[in-house]
Amino acid sequence: MKWMKRTAALGAAVILTVSLAACSGGDADETVAAALEKVKSAASVDAVLEMTAEYASEDQTLSVTNRMTLTAFQDPLKLKAEIALNMASGEDDYSRTITMYAQRDGEDLVQYATDGSYWAKQTTTQEVLDTYNVGDTLAFYVSEASGFRGNGTETVNGADAEKYTGAISGKPLVEILDADGYLESISSMSEDQQEKIRANLEGMPAAEITVWVDREGYLVQMEMDMLKVVSNMEANIDETLGHPAAMEEESINELVGASIRLTCSNFGAATDFEIPAEALEAVDLTTAGQSAGE
């Protein structure tokens, strides 16, 4: 199904780049910034990152959900992530789950992964594992937002949390669209054309972002409804390109829902785990690659 290609970027499990500017502009902004810093300083955390999209055509719909369930310990470094992709259209359904572990082993950082059929492991880098850093992920979405205002109290993780709504615009908003795969459609254009489109996108209307801060001062949830943002993006690109004729793929489906949500819990008391023996005993792809090159 051609329209499924557009969702592939959402399945790139997730990730997660760093943007660390401080929030300012009022007590609510300061509260959100402080709550973000508390998450970043937590010794351990459980988190769930979920990205959803729904497309519709005349006779069918396609729903796409990417969900990563993560447990992270900072010192000593130890990670567990389960990354699940589900795509459903009518009676057709496709699911895939990858389970990943990582830990420091002496001087090395070692990553283990399975798709349910076999395990593999390899030496990795801190840069790769930083993509699973919950604090940095929240910072990517929240640190450039401003104008937060209190919006009542709601229940998150079974406890009361203050709800704050703010806005993000300009280059940080374009970076979010890019990181989450929404600019995949311009990737085949010339570099000059892409630069022009990205520059013009910085003038889009601000997007709303909502966060929840618990009684302990931790940022426990972040959410963005991306539907209006993507609609503004597509209209802006269309105008930049001079209103070109709609492509075939665009003519058979329409984005009717899209959201991003990151929920955090168990700060400093994350769910402990052991890396399975079969993972530890898996074929070392790093060594295998070196052997093949000799």
Side-chain angles (χ1 to χ4, degrees), residues 5-32:
K5 295 179 181 179
R6 184 176 176 183
T7 69
L10 292 176
V14 204
I15 13 161
L16 314 167
T17 55
V18 183
S19 178
L20 301 176
C23 294
S24 61
D27 292 343
D29 283 12
E30 293 169 4
T31 297
V32 172

Side-chain angles (χ1 to χ4, degrees), residues 8 19 49 74 78 108 118 128 137 149 177 221-222 245 250 270 274:
S19 178
L49 174 64
Q74 298 302 322
K78 187 170 70 167
D108 294 329
Y118 67 93
V128 170
T137 302
R149 61 188 185 277
L177 288 167
Q221 187 165 279
M222 177 280 300
E250 297 298 325
E274 296 293 330

